[in-house]
Amino acid sequence: MNDRSDFVVPDITTRKNQGLRHDPVDYTLPQPLERYSAEDHATWATLYRRQCAMLPGRACDEFMQGLQQLEVDADRVPDFARLNEKLLAATGWRMVAVPGLIPDDVFFEHLANRRFPVTWWLREPHQLDYLQEPDVFHDLFGHVPLLINPVFADYLQAYGQGGMKAKNLGFLPVLARLYWYTVEFGLINTPQGMRIYGAGILSSKSESLYCLDSASPNRIGFDLQRLMRTRYRIDTFQKTYFVIDSFQQLFEATAVDFTPIYQALQALPTLGAGDVEAADKVFHIGNQDGWADSDDL
Ligand SMILES: [Fe+2]
C-alpha cells in the first residue's frame, strides 16, 4: 500500500527501456544485446526448458518444426539477427525489436510488411508464470516458430492488411477477436489429436496444460462470424477455445472481404466468452469449473 498519491510505480516496460530510444515512427530499435544479464539468460533457459519438456504431443507439429528449423536458442535469449537469416530464407518474414506493446496501426503496418515486432526484454525470475505484458519469451518463443510455415505466414500478413482496413472502418474490436482466438489462443485438430498453435498458450506452462486437459473450457470448431461475435478473457484462462482443421482453412476463411461481414455482425448480439450456440460444432462443452464471473472483454 502506498499513501503517496503522486508516486507512480514504473511499469516494467518503462524500467527496461530506460535510456533506450526507439524510432518515433515504426517503434523499432536495435536489439540491445548488451542489456541481457546472466540472470536474463538463465531465466530464458528455465522458461525454454519448462515449455519444451511439455510441448511435444501438445504443440502442433508446425510449431515444433519451426523451433527446430530456426534453431531457437535453449540456453540464452536469442540474437534476432541470427534467427532472422533463417526466417527470411524460409518465408521472407523477419523480427524487429520493439520496446513493448506498440500502437495498433504501427503493429498492422509491420505485419502487412512481413515484420514481426518482438519485445526485446525478458520477464524477471519471479514472473515465470504470469506477466501481463508481452516479453521476448512470449513474442519470440510463442509467435516466431510458426512464421516458417508458409500458410500461417501468409495468414498473419493478411491479418495486418485487414487490421488497417478494420481500423479505418471502425471495426477493430471485432477483428481483434480473430487475432485473440487464433494467433494467441488457437487450437488445431490433427489426426493425432488436438494441438496448440496459439502463442498465448505456447508461452504459458499452465495454459498449455489447461487448454487441452481441463474439462472446464469449451472447445468449439472455428467459424469466422461466430468467433468474431465472441468476447474474451484477458485476466483468466479462456472460457472457450476455437479449433481449426488446418492453417489452410484459417487462411481461406479469412481471405474474403470483411466489409459485408462487419455489416452483418452489427445486427447480431455479441456472445459471452463462455456461451455455446445451437449451431456450434462442439468438441467439448465446458463444465465451467472455476470460471470467473467478472466481465468478459
Ligand atoms: Fe502475442
Side-chain angles (χ1 to χ4, degrees), residues 127-252:
Q127 300 167 311
L128 286 191
D129 291 315
Y130 181 72
L131 185 69
Q132 199 172 2
E133 301 160 274
D135 70 340
V136 65
F137 189 74
H138 169 80
D139 283 343
L140 198 165
F141 182 92
H143 283 286
V144 172
L146 264 190
L147 291 176
I148 68 148
N149 179 270
V151 181
F152 190 82
D154 286 350
Y155 169 67
L156 205 55
Q157 179 180 27
Y159 183 88
Q161 292 161 343
M164 293 194 271
K165 197 171 149 189
K167 189 163 191 275
N168 293 335
L169 293 170
F171 285 98
L172 204 47
V174 176
L175 186 71
R177 294 179 190 138
L178 178 62
Y179 191 88
W180 190 262
Y181 279 123
T182 62
V183 179
E184 294 292 358
F185 292 97
L187 297 180
I188 182 167
N189 209 13
T190 79
Q192 291 76 38
M194 214 172 270
R195 296 287 185 268
I196 307 163
Y197 72 92
I201 307 174
L202 291 165
S203 56
S204 159
K205 182 183 174 188
S206 47
E207 195 148 6
S208 294
L209 297 169
Y210 176 87
C211 71
L212 294 177
D213 297 350
S214 174
S216 175
N218 303 316
R219 298 179 190 90
I220 292 173
F222 173 87
D223 177 279
L224 180 67
Q225 295 202 28
R226 196 291 190 201
L227 180 155
M228 290 206 296
R229 292 170 60 202
T230 311
R231 297 195 296 274
Y232 54 86
R233 306 294 307 183
I234 57 164
D235 55 344
T236 63
F237 293 142
Q238 299 309 303
K239 292 179 176 176
T240 296
Y241 297 93
F242 287 96
V243 184
I244 59 171
D245 293 326
S246 65
F247 292 124
Q248 195 62 37
Q249 177 205 21
L250 182 59
F251 181 74
E252 283 171 13

Side-chain angles (χ1 to χ4, degrees), residues 15 37 43 52 64 100 115 141 151 167 198-199 202 216 250 275 279:
R15 188 153 44 80
S37 64
T43 300
C52 284
M64 298 307 290
R115 294 186 300 262
F141 182 92
V151 181
K167 189 163 191 275
L202 291 165
S216 175
L250 182 59
D275 291 358

